[in-house]
Amino acid sequence: MVLVAHPMRTSMPAPKSSGVDRAAFFDRSIGSGRRHTTATIASGPISDRARQSGEAIVASAGARAAHCGELQRRCDVRPYGGIVILTRQLVARLEASSAYAAMLLVRAIDAGAPGTGADHLPFGRGVLVASGAGRYVNRAVGISLDKILPADLRTIEAWYLQRQLRPMIEVSAWAPASTLATLAESGYGPAWFRAMLVHEIGPRPQRSEPVSVVAVETEEDATRWRSAFSAGFNVTQPEALEVSDEHARADRRIDGAQQFLAIVGGTVAGCCSATLANGIAWLGAAATIPTHRHHGVHAAMVRHRLDYAHANGCDLAAVTALADGASARNLVRLGFQLVQHQLVLQAPN
């Protein structure tokens, strides 16, 4: 495939600088050692019930992965970058970057709405995140590549229960079998699956877009972004709208993040954002207003953020989506590759 370079767009905004020590976070996250203190317990053989439950979870995740792999083979995939080689090191980098982005989000929520109880705690390679009751992100992120011992699980549970939240953990497809067994033995069950997909960043062929994608720069832009976000997700109830707007304000406040509006014929058609963390552009908050769906708005927003990531020196773009949802299918068509499935497990009531 011949790749045609296009000039870097000078209008691309630079990401906001971060006050967080990024290097220290990623050294801790990608390093092989465990960095949190837990009680020392005697480890015994895994029970048959726990092993069978763990194997069932693994088999279910494997079936999802096979489904998405078949989807990628069937779709008309024309990646603009090269093929991303899947390694444990890449997965560790993505998990660490995801944890860092989640930490930035919850810090932004706390800064803008201190009464929500938003909080975080570095844990192992990742972070425990609590954005507050009834809000979007309340789970452990990026911690599952190390063994989670029963003592670790008690620490996690105590932290979430202290905040009156149900303990939830994102579990990587690369998690040790013993971790799955520990969670199964403690009664954890699946809440949902997420597909994690990546796209290598590189020069792309030029093309004219019927959709204009512009950076959010003013308060008026931000207001239109919040309206598009709630409309795209059909949020109408007052309490839910308050949470949606709170999340939108926090998303704009994140260090290294940029929001965008999709414009068609002078009218807002959708919104999205990109958060840069450790050379990875995380694509999120994408919403298309219902009257503009099926007209290429989502694809235009993805392509624009790939350009944005390239302009800001990223080598990868990453995104998570429901494994069998329309967004995942669109992303595969746009050249994204499946890296793994994450299984979000929740504690029993």
Side-chain angles (χ1 to χ4, degrees):
M1 178 183 294
V2 178
L3 301 181
V4 181
H6 66 283
M8 187 177 295
R9 301 185 184 182
T10 57
S11 61
M12 287 287 179
K16 299 183 287 294
S17 61
S18 170
V20 180
D21 187 345
R22 294 174 185 247
F25 183 93
F26 290 111
D27 285 346
R28 170 177 64 80
S29 299
I30 299 179
S32 59
R34 301 178 67 84
R35 303 298 177 89
H36 64 276
T37 303
T38 61
T40 301
I41 62 170
S43 58
I46 300 171
S47 70
D48 289 341
R49 181 174 69 84
R51 181 179 291 106
Q52 291 167 2
S53 298
E55 289 171 352
I57 292 172
V58 172
S60 180
R64 294 275 182 149
H67 167 74
C68 197
E70 178 60 26
L71 172 66
Q72 184 151 358
R73 285 189 291 273
R74 290 202 310 265
C75 287
D76 182 18
V77 179
R78 294 187 177 91
Y80 297 127
I83 298 299
V84 176
I85 304 302
L86 179 58
T87 65
R88 187 176 185 85
Q89 184 178 9
L90 172 62
V91 172
R93 181 186 171 200
L94 288 162
E95 289 275 326
S97 180
S98 174
Y100 183 73
M103 181 186 71
L104 292 179
L105 172 62
V106 79
R107 286 166 61 100
I109 293 173
D110 182 54
T116 62
D119 198 2
H120 71 281
L121 176 69
F123 192 93
R125 304 190 196 199
V127 64
L128 309 185
V129 172
S131 59
R135 287 164 174 82
Y136 296 143
V137 186
N138 293 300
R139 56 185 179 270
V141 180
I143 73 168
S144 68
L145 292 182
D146 290 317
K147 293 181 180 179
I148 297 177
L149 304 174
D152 300 329
L153 195 55
R154 290 195 293 271
T155 300
I156 295 167
E157 290 172 343
W159 192 83
Y160 278 103
L161 292 174
Q162 185 180 18
R163 289 155 181 80
Q164 300 184 332
L165 296 170
R166 188 176 185 177
M168 303 179 74
I169 301 174
E170 282 184 7
V171 180
S172 167
W174 293 62
S178 61
T179 289
L180 295 175
T182 297
L183 292 166
E185 191 163 53
S186 298
Y188 279 68
W192 68 85
F193 287 84
R194 303 197 314 169
M196 179 182 286
L197 305 104
V198 300
H199 195 304
E200 188 179 51
I201 298 299
R204 298 192 307 110
Q206 293 187 38
R207 59 178 293 161
S208 59
E209 293 281 8
V211 180
S212 174
V213 182
V214 298
V216 169
E217 296 178 346
T218 67
E219 285 303 317
E220 182 182 357
D221 292 340
T223 299
R224 295 198 297 168
W225 197 98
R226 291 194 297 272
S227 296
F229 187 67
S230 58
F233 287 105
N234 194 31
V235 179
T236 57
Q237 297 301 315
E239 185 176 346
L241 272 172
E242 182 180 347
V243 172
S244 175
D245 288 348
E246 175 191 285
H247 182 86
R249 291 187 177 94
D251 184 73
R252 188 184 180 205
R253 196 180 295 116
I254 293 172
D255 289 331
Q258 178 63 55
Q259 293 181 332
F260 301 94
L261 287 167
I263 309 294
V264 176
T267 302
V268 173
C271 66
C272 61
S273 69
T275 300
L276 310 186
N278 192 28
I280 298 173
W282 286 94
L283 312 188
T288 303
I289 293 175
T291 54
H292 289 278
R293 287 176 183 161
H294 311 298
H295 291 87
V297 173
H298 181 256
M301 292 193 296
V302 170
R303 285 191 287 263
H304 186 85
R305 286 177 291 172
L306 292 178
D307 286 344
Y308 174 77
H310 183 227
N312 283 283
C314 293
D315 63 308
L316 282 178
V319 64
T320 59
L322 293 177
D324 55 355
S327 290
R329 292 192 294 272
N330 289 340
L331 290 163
V332 168
R333 292 189 184 101
L334 291 167
F336 279 75
Q337 297 174 230
L338 176 69
V339 171
Q340 65 167 340
H341 278 93
Q342 293 173 317
L343 176 60
V344 180
L345 294 177
Q346 58 188 355
N349 287 326

